[in-house]
Amino acid sequence: MNENQNWDEFLVPYQQAVEELKVKLKGIRKQFGKENLHKPVEFVTGRVKPVDSILAKAELRNISLNRLETEMQDIAGLRIMCQFVEDIHEVVRLLRNRKDIKIVEERDYITNQKESGYRSYHVVFEYPVQVIDGEKIILAEVQIRTLSMNFWATIEHSLNYKYKGEFPEDIKVRLKRAAEAVYQLDEEMSEIREEIQEAQHLFSYSKRNSLEETDDKKKLE
């Protein structure tokens, strides 16, 4: 960001990137659905970091405003939620194979969870945005988690906002205990993953047939 830019102008490419990427990443789910396959993507969310958060992080990391584009990786941020840990690895594989992004960094906090208990898989990549003056390459970050990991991370984020990162010791212990419970839940779900997927497939098939029968009845009326 240069001194002559305002924030609205600076953030436009990031906003465009988030909207485009949400559509593309949701498309993964649709493609698997059309093939009648298990969908590794449960749902996708995205946001552009608010200006106050950008400034706070820049101050914390000692990043000058004219280096934001190259040194702040998550101004454009997305999250992909998955049902199973195995789905996370499948999504990472799919991202690596995409031609519209260039991965510059991966951080595996699932195999190497943070001390707090945080677990997620982060992928930082370059993404080309078409703007009036041509093409602009921006950095974006996608966090890939199971639903249970996301629940824990959302709660931890809220508490972090309250305590400004200085958690009371009993809260730290409880959060770590909850993180372990999340890990055990994901492990249990992985153990019966095939049973769950088969049940979901049967449910979807039954629901689709029911809708088709309803449509046929309406046509006959």
Side-chain angles (χ1 to χ4, degrees), residues 29-42:
R29 177 179 172 82
K30 291 181 180 179
Q31 290 168 34
F32 275 82
K34 286 181 179 179
E35 297 295 325
N36 207 25
L37 299 171
H38 170 70
K39 307 176 188 71
V41 174
E42 187 67 11

Side-chain angles (χ1 to χ4, degrees), residues 91-123:
V91 170
V92 171
R93 185 189 68 81
L94 292 168
L95 291 177
R96 288 171 181 161
N97 290 337
R98 293 189 71 95
K99 303 300 182 184
D100 55 346
I101 66 174
K102 179 183 177 183
I103 295 176
V104 296
E105 187 176 348
E106 296 183 30
R107 297 192 291 274
D108 183 356
Y109 297 123
I110 297 174
T111 305
N112 305 291
Q113 70 179 36
K114 291 187 177 182
E115 185 179 351
S116 65
Y118 176 85
R119 295 169 70 231
S120 184
Y121 200 105
H122 294 197
V123 178

Side-chain angles (χ1 to χ4, degrees), residues 18-216:
V18 167
E19 293 307 312
E20 290 179 9
L21 288 163
K22 280 165 64 178
V23 172
K24 290 180 176 183
L25 295 174
K26 288 175 182 178
I28 295 174
R29 177 179 172 82
K30 291 181 180 179
Q31 290 168 34
F32 275 82
K34 286 181 179 179
E35 297 295 325
N36 207 25
L37 299 171
H38 170 70
K39 307 176 188 71
V41 174
E42 187 67 11
F43 63 92
V44 180
T45 63
R47 61 95 186 102
V48 174
K49 189 184 285 291
V51 174
D52 58 345
S53 296
I54 293 174
L55 292 172
K57 186 170 184 177
E59 183 178 358
L60 181 66
R61 301 286 177 85
N62 196 28
I63 301 173
S64 64
L65 294 185
N66 63 357
R67 301 201 317 271
L68 288 177
E69 292 182 354
T70 56
E71 295 189 24
M72 193 168 291
Q73 300 174 331
D74 64 341
I75 295 176
L78 297 109
R79 286 181 189 152
I80 298 177
M81 259 58 74
C82 307
Q83 288 189 340
F84 306 102
V85 175
E86 291 80 3
D87 293 337
I88 295 175
H89 301 305
E90 174 64 8
V91 170
V92 171
R93 185 189 68 81
L94 292 168
L95 291 177
R96 288 171 181 161
N97 290 337
R98 293 189 71 95
K99 303 300 182 184
D100 55 346
I101 66 174
K102 179 183 177 183
I103 295 176
V104 296
E105 187 176 348
E106 296 183 30
R107 297 192 291 274
D108 183 356
Y109 297 123
I110 297 174
T111 305
N112 305 291
Q113 70 179 36
K114 291 187 177 182
E115 185 179 351
S116 65
Y118 176 85
R119 295 169 70 231
S120 184
Y121 200 105
H122 294 197
V123 178
V124 178
F125 54 87
E126 293 178 346
Y127 179 73
V129 177
Q130 303 304 316
V131 294
I132 295 174
D133 299 327
E135 184 175 88
K136 184 178 182 64
I137 306 295
I138 68 162
L139 286 174
E141 180 187 70
V142 59
Q143 300 173 352
I144 312 159
R145 307 168 175 168
T146 63
L147 296 167
S148 54
M149 288 177 198
N150 189 61
F151 171 71
W152 185 95
T154 301
I155 298 300
E156 193 265 354
H157 181 76
S158 299
L159 289 171
N160 191 60
Y161 182 80
K162 176 182 178 180
Y163 291 110
K164 310 298 182 185
E166 298 296 328
F167 292 121
E169 193 59 34
D170 64 320
I171 297 294
K172 279 186 183 180
V173 171
R174 289 177 181 274
L175 277 173
K176 195 68 181 288
R177 192 182 304 155
E180 182 61 28
V182 165
Y183 173 78
Q184 292 299 328
L185 175 61
D186 281 335
E187 287 286 296
E188 289 295 329
M189 292 300 103
S190 290
E191 289 291 327
I192 57 172
R193 177 167 54 99
E194 291 184 5
E195 291 287 335
I196 295 171
Q197 289 174 352
E198 182 181 355
Q200 290 173 338
H201 177 76
L202 290 171
F203 177 77
S204 296
Y205 179 78
S206 174
K207 185 177 180 181
R208 185 166 60 250
N209 282 350
S210 177
L211 288 172
E212 289 174 355
E213 289 175 4
T214 301
D215 288 340
D216 290 340

